[in-house]
Amino acid sequence: MLAIRTCGRLSAPALAAAMTLGAAPPSPAPVTAEVSYTAQERQEALSYWTPERMKEVGGTVDLGPTGPLTKTWKGAPVKTVGRLFLVNAKGADTWCTATAVKSGNRSVVMAAGHCVRLGSSPYNTYMNLVFAPGYAKGKAPYGVFPVRATVTPASWAQNSVNDVSALAVDPVQGKALTDAVGGQPVAFGRRPGGDVTAFGYPASTPQRGEELLYCAGRTKAAPDDEMSIPCDMTGGSSGGPWLADFDAASGLGTLVSVNSHGDALEHSTTMSGPVLGATARQVYDRAQRS
């Protein structure tokens, strides 16, 4: 695991003095924060997340009834979207939603930053992460992929800014993730104003994370370089994709953001997600080289 080191700026006189003395100028602050998991840790994660444990974790959380803006997905299977199971910084079993995306290593999953590490707390990263694409009612039809590395913006680790992550997963039975389920293309720099379909596995009743739900609507600008849509999905949907130009028959669109947070702890009516800018692109690029 990599710790984050903050580098302060030298004043102009101090920098000049350092150069006169032959010292190297300070290195730029890191853009990304990365965590790697050993082969043993990945095997332990697979052993930990039995089908029984995956199904049981939904029973530990009830965030109220599913809201009127959230619908059950009844179309063709969206194979790229699944549940990301993990043990959080408090040692609790929980989950997020994540998405297989196109990448050079055919192994990248996109989610929210808070799905892989605690914000504003560089050392509080999560353990036992596995991705089950296409998860539905206790079944992982395309396999369970252990996470070998996570990447977030350093700004998320340090200051809870830019809530996005990219994860690299191991192959299952010799097959890379997107060879098994396909991958959504990712668009960086997409500004608010377009229509999206947002997917997730919220912990609301009666589904309790066992079924794929969705909201659909037009994005609009939100504070802190985010965008929002009308949506009342609850926790558990975090990290789920916002897909522009979504085709229900193929289950494919273009990922333009991910579920980050609502506008209230209870009875939220909007979902916000980050605009995927230059930093998100570096996060993605680093993951596809992992």
Side-chain angles (χ1 to χ4, degrees), residues 12-200:
L15 178 59
M19 295 179 68
T20 300
L21 295 172
S27 299
V31 175
T32 61
E34 304 163 24
V35 178
S36 297
Y37 299 94
T38 66
Q40 179 178 342
E41 288 172 330
R42 302 195 301 266
Q43 185 57 51
E44 289 172 351
L46 286 174
S47 299
Y48 186 82
W49 284 108
T50 63
E52 294 75 21
R53 188 181 290 271
M54 288 181 180
K55 192 168 178 63
E56 288 171 0
V57 68
T60 65
V61 184
D62 183 356
L63 297 181
T66 298
L69 299 176
T70 299
K71 309 298 181 184
T72 301
W73 177 250
K74 297 181 179 179
V78 186
K79 298 189 294 183
T80 58
V81 182
R83 285 175 85 180
L84 176 67
F85 295 95
L86 59 114
V87 177
N88 67 20
K90 296 181 179 179
D93 291 355
T94 188
W95 78 92
C96 275
T97 305
T99 310
V101 297
K102 290 185 176 181
S103 61
N105 60 8
R106 311 191 312 282
S107 301
V108 172
V109 176
M110 298 288 287
H114 74 264
C115 291
V116 303
R117 68 189 310 152
L118 195 64
S120 303
S121 186
Y123 298 102
N124 282 317
T125 57
Y126 302 160
M127 295 296 295
N128 289 350
L129 285 83
V130 300
F131 176 56
Y135 182 94
K137 298 181 178 179
K139 306 290 185 182
Y142 309 107
V144 178
F145 294 77
V147 174
R148 66 173 179 262
T150 68
V151 188
T152 65
S155 59
W156 175 258
Q158 296 168 342
N159 301 306
S160 299
V161 174
N162 208 342
D163 188 14
V164 66
S165 65
L167 303 77
V169 300
D170 281 348
V172 170
Q173 296 182 345
K175 183 174 285 190
L177 173 63
T178 58
D179 291 341
V181 301
Q184 304 285 353
V186 184
F188 296 97
R190 185 73 65 94
R191 305 306 302 178
D195 293 331
V196 299
T197 303
F199 287 98

Side-chain angles (χ1 to χ4, degrees), residues 214-226:
Y214 75 99
C215 295
R218 175 153 294 189
T219 63
K220 66 177 183 179
D224 301 320
D225 205 24
E226 293 185 331

